[in-house]
Amino acid sequence: MEFIGKLVSYLGQLVGNPEDIEGPKRYDVIRRNISILMLLITVVPLVSMALINYSQYQSTLRREIMEPMKVLVNKAKNSLELLLTNRFAILRFVATAYSYNELADENNLKRIFRALRKEFDGFIDLGLIDSKGIQISYAGPYNLRGQDYSGQPWFQQVQVNGAYVSDVFLGFRKIPHIAIAVQHIDESGAPPWIVRATVDTKRFDQIISSMGIQPECDAFVMNKEGVLQTESKLYGKVFDRPPGIMPPMTYEPFVTERVDPRGNHVVTAYAYSNRSDFVLMFVKPTASVMRAWYTLKSELIFVFVIGVLLIVSAVLKLTSVMVNRMKISDERRELAFREMQHSHKLSSIGRLAAGVAHEINNPMAIVNEKAGLMRDLIERNADFPQKDKFLGLIKAIVQAVDRCRTITHRLLGFARRMDVEMESLSVNDVLKETAGFLEKEALHRNIELTMNLALDLPRIFSDRGQLQQVILNVLNNAIAAVSDGGSIAVTTWDHDADYVGISIQDDGVGMSEETMKHIFEPFFTTKKGTGTGLGLSITYGIVKKLGGDIAVQSKLGKGTRFIIYLPKRAEKGGEASNG
Amino acid sequence: MDNWTVLLVDDEKEFASTLAERLNLRGLRVQTAYSGEEAIETMARNPVQVVVLDLMMPGMSGLAVLETLRKNYPDSRIILLTGMGSVSDGVKGMKMGAFDYLMKPVEIDSLMQTIREAMGKPS
């Protein structure tokens, strides 16, 4: 558990929140880390599952396929041994049933041979050899009587073992066959004699074909020296000695996978015969053995690859969406915070300004009254000395008071912007005033600012400060949108009985339908990096608060037109509506 | 009720006394009160037809004084003096039945004019 906890915290650190990286790179790092982490925790278990499944399937399937091969080769070996046992039994019967003298009579032997051939397949010849190795009598295609075998290895062997099976050799009519011999020891104490027969190997081929093997497989018999005793499809003809295919000696049938001398991957099942020097081999190309497995494997791999691709694309997509959301929400939070700070600052300044203005106003009122009283007194006294001079001084004082009044008025005006205060005002004047703020920038960038103001525009009842802000925002946008030397036209008109209209038209970059849809949404901005995305939403809010409406028309590359409708009378929410 | 005396209420003594003297010079009898409470006392002693009332005062506020006077002396005419930037208070005062409101600093002639109107029109 502790380990898991550590792992999780480490992974957490890995994803982390790289506070020390600034700007958009930070989100790239987060995106990369989350992607890597998510890929790790999804793909690693998948891969390990796939690998475990793979190996288990493989071993199971392999067993399922190899076991029948072993059984088959064992059965074939048993048939082969049965055949040999059977042939030995026949020879033993001949040796036991007849006496030496009977067999030594060639006519007798030929009769026995004919009977044998009639009853049993494959007998080529039959002969009697005495204890000194001399062929006493012979029935068969050659004339071998008198042949001396005493020097031959098989003769030695049959004397030691009592029986002998030769390797395959080409004999009569070039048919491959084997020689078998048994020694008969007479109870009468006469010297032992040997019955020898030659049998063709057709029965070997029959045994092999009875295995019913598929065309691409191969089954054959070899002797212990690795010489082929039957024909092999893969490794050559009888008596060929293909190198390197001889399996190690085992007493049980055995299945093994290996690469044969011709470079093929094969599965070999083999069985050593206990009674003879033969080895029965069954060779199957691995490809055919494992065909079912390969099919399954390719399906597995297909599913795995598709799965991994899906996971990767889903992870990347998800991460991207997630990080983008994160980025946007970070930005929004930051902007909202900045905006709040800003408005907080403004409102404190406003309150301070209002306080200062009030405090100064009172003494100024006193100064004003004192000066007024002085003027009253001087004016009422006809022979006041230096009357004109004093009246001039008083006038200067009153003028100075007026200047102060202008200053405090401005300060209060600034403060007043915080709440709606309705007053009767001329929209044209407000427009001219506000445009004045931006004249410098317009001049600097050579922007032509035209005013088509309706002379007969009625005064409306609205909030001057808020209206100024609305116009300032829209004009600012227009100035940002036009290129140097562009033009902006401000038009006013008496729209209908209730509303006046203001249009601010620029020939700037314009905007797409999509942008237009979001233009009044908070935090939507096209001024990447610098815009707060609040200007137009605040504008919208103010216009609505003033009981008006704002609309936008735009075409990409052609320019934008903002139209603002303001009510002539403050019906909605005006504090002073009834004055 | 004294129809030809004006009660001037303002917490700034210098302002009130000077303005009182100026109105005096123009032929008006003027009483001064330097707080809302004092104004109500003075009215109780000697009710007058016209009251010039500053809205921004410490203690009892101008609007409270206005409310009391309107209740006790419905025949009196009350002219409000407001500081700049408090139009809404002035409007509120008008709704409560003030005769008129003027912005400080006020031109002596327009104040005289308003006072004359207040005196001239019997209720």
Side-chain angles (χ1 to χ4, degrees):
Chain A
M1 282 317 286
E2 198 183 333
F3 169 73
I4 292 174
K6 270 185 188 164
L7 184 71
V8 166
S9 88
Y10 173 73
L11 291 177
Q13 273 174 11
L14 186 72
V15 174
N17 208 2
E19 296 289 355
D20 46 330
I21 304 169
E22 284 295 324
K25 255 196 143 172
R26 183 176 156 210
Y27 295 99
D28 291 344
V29 171
I30 294 176
R31 183 179 291 130
R32 190 196 64 200
N33 290 355
I34 292 179
S35 301
I36 290 171
L37 186 63
M38 280 172 72
L39 285 178
L40 277 178
I41 59 183
T42 49
V43 172
V44 165
L46 188 69
V47 169
S48 24
M49 280 275 286
L51 287 179
I52 290 167
N53 262 346
Y54 178 89
S55 64
Q56 277 195 342
Y57 262 123
Q58 197 179 26
S59 61
T60 311
L61 250 149
R62 199 163 283 247
R63 254 200 320 278
E64 296 268 311
I65 289 167
M66 285 178 171
E67 205 54 38
M69 284 180 74
K70 199 153 95 180
V71 171
L72 195 59
V73 81
N74 197 34
K75 231 160 90 184
K77 185 206 82 174
N78 286 341
S79 304
L80 184 68
E81 288 193 338
L82 197 66
L83 174 70
L84 292 173
T85 311
N86 176 263
R87 292 301 180 258
F88 274 122
I90 291 164
L91 284 194
R92 279 216 181 87
F93 172 76
V94 169
T96 314
Y98 299 93
S99 69
Y100 178 82
N101 291 332
E102 279 172 317
L103 292 173
D105 178 354
E106 204 150 77
N107 285 333
N108 234 348
L109 190 73
K110 280 186 176 154
R111 193 171 44 83
I112 295 167
F113 176 59
R114 274 199 301 277
L116 275 183
R117 279 186 62 118
K118 207 185 260 174
E119 289 303 317
F120 302 102
D121 273 349
F123 277 93
I124 304 294
D125 64 6
L126 182 68
L128 177 70
I129 293 149
D130 71 6
S131 59
K132 295 184 185 68
I134 307 296
Q135 182 96 33
I136 300 298
S137 61
Y138 175 76
Y142 302 107
N143 189 8
L144 296 174
R145 195 142 60 101
Q147 187 94 19
D148 183 1
Y149 293 112
S150 62
Q152 299 218 347
W154 73 265
F155 182 69
Q156 312 296 330
Q157 217 177 322
V158 80
Q159 281 189 320
V160 175
N161 295 341
Y164 165 75
V165 182
S166 79
D167 288 345
V168 174
F169 59 94
L170 278 184
F172 178 65
R173 274 182 285 192
K174 301 291 173 204
I175 291 170
H177 44 241
I178 54 171
I180 56 176
V182 297
Q183 189 186 36
H184 184 77
I185 299 166
D186 210 350
E187 294 114 22
S188 62
W193 36 276
I194 293 162
V195 179
R196 181 180 182 274
T198 310
V199 184
D200 70 25
T201 56
K202 254 188 233 155
R203 290 299 298 268
F204 283 22
D205 295 332
Q206 280 169 11
I207 288 169
I208 285 169
S209 68
S210 76
M211 288 167 76
I213 56 175
Q214 296 102 313
E216 71 270 22
C217 304
D218 191 11
F220 51 89
V221 177
M222 285 199 310
N223 70 8
K224 283 177 181 162
E225 278 79 46
V227 178
L228 286 171
Q229 306 291 293
T230 61
E231 196 170 324
S232 159
K233 266 183 266 180
L234 295 172
Y235 303 113
K237 302 216 168 294
V238 184
F239 305 132
D240 282 354
R241 194 191 180 121
I245 62 167
M246 197 60 198
M249 169 69 193
T250 55
Y251 292 99
E252 285 289 306
F254 204 76
V255 185
T256 168
E257 265 188 280
R258 55 187 198 172
V259 181
D260 75 4
R262 297 163 71 190
N264 300 323
H265 289 261
V266 293
V267 179
T268 307
Y270 62 90
Y272 273 79
S273 163
N274 306 331
R275 291 176 169 275
S276 60
D277 283 352
F278 296 132
V279 185
L280 190 75
M281 287 186 72
F282 179 18
V283 177
K284 226 173 171 179
T286 311
S288 99
V289 176
M290 305 304 279
R291 188 174 296 136
W293 164 241
Y294 288 138
T295 316
L296 185 64
K297 189 164 83 172
S298 58
E299 276 167 10
L300 273 179
I301 288 174
F302 178 75
V303 168
F304 178 76
V305 167
I306 294 290
V308 167
L309 283 180
L310 278 177
I311 288 174
V312 168
S313 63
V315 161
L316 291 183
K317 183 79 195 157
L318 267 178
T319 310
S320 174
V321 167
M322 207 163 77
V323 172
N324 278 341
R325 288 255 169 92
M326 197 161 122
K327 191 171 163 185
I328 289 169
S329 88
D330 276 2
E331 280 170 1
R332 287 188 176 184
R333 204 176 51 206
E334 202 174 308
L335 283 176
F337 185 67
R338 211 189 295 158
E339 189 64 22
M340 201 181 70
Q341 242 181 350
H342 183 68
S343 78
H344 191 74
K345 200 163 80 186
L346 275 186
S347 86
S348 344
I349 293 174
R351 246 173 283 144
L352 183 71
V356 169
H358 276 295
E359 289 309 311
I360 288 177
N361 240 8
N362 279 336
M364 287 324 290
I366 296 169
V367 171
N368 195 44
E369 290 314 314
K370 296 284 183 198
L373 179 58
M374 279 159 74
R375 194 175 55 206
D376 288 352
L377 293 174
I378 292 167
E379 275 172 351
R380 278 165 175 73
N381 190 341
D383 22 285
F384 190 82
Q386 291 183 298
K387 184 176 177 178
D388 289 343
K389 168 126 197 189
F390 271 87
L391 282 178
L393 289 173
I394 288 163
K395 198 175 169 194
I397 290 172
V398 172
Q399 274 170 357
V401 169
D402 273 346
R403 267 173 66 192
C404 283
R405 189 188 312 178
T406 315
I407 293 166
T408 53
H409 199 99
R410 257 192 230 149
L411 279 175
L412 283 171
F414 179 73
R416 209 168 35 196
R417 212 165 283 176
M418 299 302 134
D419 8 78
V420 180
E421 280 198 24
M422 294 301 193
E423 61 186 303
S424 166
L425 53 84
S426 152
V427 171
N428 287 349
D429 288 349
V430 175
L431 275 169
K432 275 186 259 178
E433 250 173 64
T434 313
F437 288 118
L438 298 169
E439 244 160 25
K440 259 208 184 118
E441 190 180 352
L443 205 65
H444 185 68
R445 291 183 46 202
N446 200 20
I447 296 168
E448 190 194 349
L449 186 62
T450 28
M451 296 279 207
N452 313 312
L453 306 179
L455 293 174
D456 59 342
L457 198 69
R459 291 174 77 82
I460 66 165
F461 211 71
S462 195
D463 180 283
R464 179 181 294 270
Q466 309 271 22
L467 204 52
Q468 273 177 347
Q469 194 174 355
V470 167
I471 292 160
L472 203 63
N473 282 345
V474 178
L475 272 178
N476 256 330
N477 272 315
I479 285 177
V482 300
S483 45
D484 291 4
S487 66
I488 299 170
V490 181
T491 313
T492 57
W493 67 95
D494 191 352
H495 188 69
D496 59 22
D498 296 322
Y499 289 94
V500 295
I502 305 169
S503 138
I504 294 170
Q505 165 108 48
D506 68 60
D507 63 350
V509 291
M511 53 187 144
S512 63
E513 290 273 334
E514 191 58 30
T515 308
M516 247 194 292
K517 247 186 250 170
H518 298 291
I519 189 87
F520 294 121
E521 283 177 12
F523 306 113
F524 181 85
T525 180
T526 54
K527 302 176 196 167
K528 292 273 179 283
T530 57
T532 60
L534 283 172
L536 279 174
S537 74
I538 286 176
T539 303
Y540 182 83
I542 294 174
V543 172
K544 285 286 175 190
K545 195 160 76 180
L546 295 177
D549 204 356
I550 182 165
V552 62
Q553 301 168 347
S554 184
K555 231 181 192 152
L556 214 54
K558 290 275 163 64
T560 305
R561 184 180 186 214
F562 278 97
I563 303 157
I564 302 165
Y565 299 103
L566 292 169
K568 291 177 181 173
R569 286 171 292 274
E571 278 142 13
K572 294 179 195 169
E575 288 175 62
S577 54
N578 167 26
Chain B
M1 179 169 297
D2 187 339
N3 282 356
W4 306 105
T5 302
V6 174
L7 174 61
L8 183 60
V9 189
D10 199 308
D11 61 306
E12 284 283 349
K13 287 185 185 171
E14 285 294 336
F15 177 80
S17 57
T18 314
L19 190 58
E21 201 177 338
R22 293 187 77 187
L23 292 175
N24 242 331
L25 285 175
R26 283 165 176 77
L28 288 177
R29 261 178 292 156
V30 182
Q31 288 185 337
T32 53
Y34 300 129
S35 71
E37 292 84 350
E38 196 184 335
I40 287 166
E41 276 169 34
T42 314
M43 275 299 274
R45 265 200 320 273
N46 179 22
V48 297
Q49 166 82 7
V50 178
V51 181
V52 177
L53 179 62
D54 182 22
L55 280 180
M56 287 270 283
M57 285 188 297
M60 197 173 177
S61 81
L63 285 177
V65 176
L66 171 66
E67 197 178 358
T68 315
L69 295 185
R70 284 298 296 162
K71 202 171 70 195
N72 297 345
Y73 313 97
D75 292 342
S76 296
R77 305 262 168 96
I78 297 158
I79 299 164
L80 300 177
L81 284 185
T82 67
M84 278 186 304
S86 43
V87 182
S88 56
D89 277 355
V91 172
K92 232 181 271 173
M94 293 300 285
K95 279 183 187 165
M96 287 163 65
F99 179 74
D100 202 352
Y101 80 90
L102 296 168
M103 293 265 249
K104 271 201 325 193
V106 65
E107 284 291 324
I108 190 75
D109 294 334
S110 48
L111 180 60
M112 273 303 293
Q113 178 66 33
T114 311
I115 290 172
R116 266 191 217 110
E117 279 171 22
M119 287 173 166
K121 287 183 198 161
S123 54

